[in-house]
Amino acid sequence: AFSSAHFGSGTGDIFLDNVGCSGMESSLLDCSYVSDSNIYCYYGHSEDVGVRCQVNTTGVCTYGDVRLYNGSTPYQGRVEVCINDTWGTVCDDGWGSVDATVVCKQLGYSYTGYGKYYSSAYFGAGSGKIWLEDVACTTSNTKLLQCSSSPIGEETCSHSEDAGVGCEAPCTDGQVRLVGGNIPNEGRVEICISN
């Protein structure tokens, strides 16, 4: 755990103060805390907390997982897919809004109509493997690896053609995200409280 805005100061409302968890809770909202009008954070967002979570040590990632990397929010970025415990990118050949929507669905993000697609390494060029190219999803697909594509790992693209995605992501009560960390499992703790 980190204090004193280790991962940067947030903006907007501060919803929780004096949070106390035992470690047995399944949600941050199950912990004891002071909320709303009773919050007194004298130093404001300079008191924002953060965490670094321990990740699964049996492998870097799970086969077929997707993530968005290098976006300005957690809901956009270069598309990366896990194959054989290794993250790799997706080539933008044939990449479109249906493909982007499938990535948004797989990540559990909502979208209006179709996810927004990006091409030509809009979120920066990746490195390492380019796992997928010529991806052609249908609206019935819910995971990227369900979509048709060239054989996995067949590389005829360069990282200057890495595909990206932008998803809409309204939050639900109690949903927690980590923002501002250098790796996906660390950052400032932000929680969604709907009004």
Side-chain angles (χ1 to χ4, degrees):
F2 298 90
S3 60
S4 303
H6 180 83
F7 295 104
S9 296
T11 59
D13 294 332
I14 298 172
F15 289 114
L16 304 179
D17 193 10
N18 295 326
V19 176
C21 300
S22 68
M24 300 303 293
E25 299 84 0
S26 59
S27 166
L28 194 56
L29 293 178
D30 294 336
C31 302
S32 64
Y33 58 86
V34 176
S35 67
D36 299 327
S37 61
N38 297 323
I39 291 180
Y40 180 73
C41 289
Y42 182 76
Y43 295 104
H45 284 287
S46 67
E47 295 183 63
D48 286 351
V49 299
V51 297
R52 180 174 294 127
C53 302
Q54 188 172 5
V55 293
N56 176 358
T57 57
T58 61
V60 175
C61 52
T62 302
Y63 189 89
D65 282 352
V66 294
R67 70 180 181 182
L68 302 180
Y69 195 79
N70 209 34
S72 59
T73 74
Y75 312 111
Q76 64 179 23
R78 179 177 60 246
V79 178
E80 296 189 351
V81 62
C82 178
I83 306 291
N84 300 328
D85 289 335
T86 304
W87 289 107
T89 62
V90 176
C91 179
D92 66 7
D93 290 354
W95 190 251
S97 58
V98 175
D99 309 313
T101 300
V102 169
V103 170
C104 294
K105 283 181 192 176
Q106 183 171 347
L107 290 169
Y109 299 149
S110 65
Y111 53 92
T112 303
Y114 291 103
K116 186 170 182 180
Y117 68 96
Y118 296 88
S119 57
S120 303
Y122 182 87
F123 295 102
S127 61
K129 295 293 292 180
I130 300 171
W131 285 124
L132 297 176
E133 59 184 82
D134 301 317
V135 174
C137 297
T138 67
T139 56
S140 64
N141 296 133
T142 58
K143 296 185 182 226
L144 188 60
L145 289 186
Q146 292 174 341
C147 305
S148 66
S149 69
S150 295
I152 291 173
E154 181 179 283
E155 292 185 44
T156 60
C157 287
S158 70
H159 283 294
S160 65
E161 300 173 82
D162 284 344
V165 163
C167 306
E168 281 192 27
C171 60
T172 56
D173 264 355
Q175 185 177 4
V176 174
R177 68 180 182 182
L178 303 178
V179 178
N182 292 318
I183 55 177
N185 61 318
E186 70 176 17
R188 180 179 63 253
V189 178
E190 294 186 353
I191 186 167
C192 175
I193 305 292
S194 63
N195 295 328

